[in-house]
Amino acid sequence: MTAPATSSSEFSGQVALVTGAASGIGAASALALAARGAHVMCADIQSASATLATLRERGGQGSELRFDLSDRGSVARAVAQAAQAGRIDMLVAAAGVGFSGPLLSSDEDWDRVIQTNLSGTFATLRAAWPHLQASGQGRVVVVTSMGAYRGGFHFGPEYNASKAGLIGLVRHFALHGGPDGIQVNAVAPGFIETPFVAGLPYDPAGIPLGRLGQPEDVAEPVAFLCSQAASYVTGTVLHVNGGVFYG
């Protein structure tokens, strides 16, 4: 994993909770926020120890949390544990699941993906909300997908529906978070080289920029949306797809 492009003390004294931090976009986002001085709580159902080790090797501060996004009790406990660091100023919701499947998915696949991606993200937002309010400058970035707009690709309808639902959550929470100084935005990645999509037949020839994206290509926009440089941006979806889609 390459180093973040920027290192600073911009987020010094702030606490970021990053879900899905064991790999991919979540891991890269955790490293990008830590490089800017945040104490990062790396949360995942899998061990995020590798991310945490890299973060510390680069001089960052952080802790590891284990949680199951599909279990609301687990989510509430993880958020409460994160808040023990003293505060939660930033939430990056990057955790999720998806299956490469047919047009008509099974009930089991539909329920699991919707429960994890959509309901689990809502549960995380709900649990973190009082802490973001207390911060007075809360920032939320939700990782959705280009599939929310275009559908298709290599994942079933439950995945694209869950990612579209996240955009509705972002706009709802942005509207109601404004009076408390909370900004809520989303990034919608395109074809990003992560373990999540390993082995799927993506062709860079169909991407205007001519290459697949890297997790860091998404992590830097995530850090921007958490920063003061984006202090008048809320309720928006930032597309990060190399020009495949201009939503």
Side-chain angles (χ1 to χ4, degrees):
M1 188 173 295
T2 59
T6 302
S7 294
S8 71
S9 58
E10 180 179 10
F11 298 147
S12 179
Q14 298 186 45
V15 175
L17 171 60
V18 179
T19 71
S23 64
I25 293 169
S29 297
L31 296 175
L33 297 179
R36 291 162 170 80
H39 180 102
V40 181
M41 311 298 290
C42 301
D44 206 300
I45 192 171
Q46 302 173 8
S47 173
S49 59
T51 302
L52 189 60
T54 301
L55 183 156
R56 290 174 173 167
E57 287 171 4
R58 297 178 181 177
Q61 299 180 6
S63 306
E64 180 183 3
L65 296 174
R66 297 293 286 271
F67 87 130
D68 180 353
L69 192 62
S70 67
D71 181 337
R72 294 183 181 181
S74 176
V75 169
R77 289 190 295 273
V79 172
Q81 187 176 348
Q84 291 177 3
R87 56 197 289 175
I88 297 176
D89 302 284
M90 293 171 270
L91 168 64
V92 178
V97 298
F99 305 110
S100 179
L103 171 63
L104 302 178
S105 57
S106 68
D107 288 344
E108 292 77 12
D109 284 353
W110 176 274
D111 291 344
R112 181 184 174 193
V113 173
I114 296 296
Q115 174 67 23
T116 302
N117 294 0
L118 185 55
S119 299
T121 300
F122 167 70
T124 307
L125 266 166
R126 181 175 59 187
W129 200 252
H131 306 290
L132 295 165
Q133 287 176 312
S135 167
Q137 55 180 3
R139 299 290 186 270
V140 178
V141 182
V142 174
V143 178
T144 178
S145 170
M146 182 171 63
Y149 294 86
R150 291 190 56 179
F153 302 117
H154 301 286
F155 295 100
E158 68 282 347
Y159 177 81
N160 296 314
S162 72
K163 292 298 186 176
L166 290 178
I167 295 170
L169 276 185
V170 163
R171 290 173 174 161
H172 176 86
F173 278 93
L175 177 65
H176 293 281
D180 290 317
I182 304 174
Q183 293 168 230
V184 186
N185 293 290
V187 291
F191 303 124
I192 309 298
E193 285 192 287
T194 67
F196 184 69
V197 298
L200 294 178
Y202 294 135
D203 183 4
I207 301 172
L209 288 185
R211 66 175 178 87
L212 299 180
Q214 297 301 310
E216 293 76 17
D217 291 323
V218 184
E220 291 298 313
V222 167
F224 161 72
L225 290 172
C226 289
S227 75
Q228 284 301 308
S231 63
Y232 203 58
V233 179
T234 195
T236 195
V237 181
L238 180 55
H239 294 276
V240 187
N241 58 47
V244 175
F245 178 77
Y246 299 95

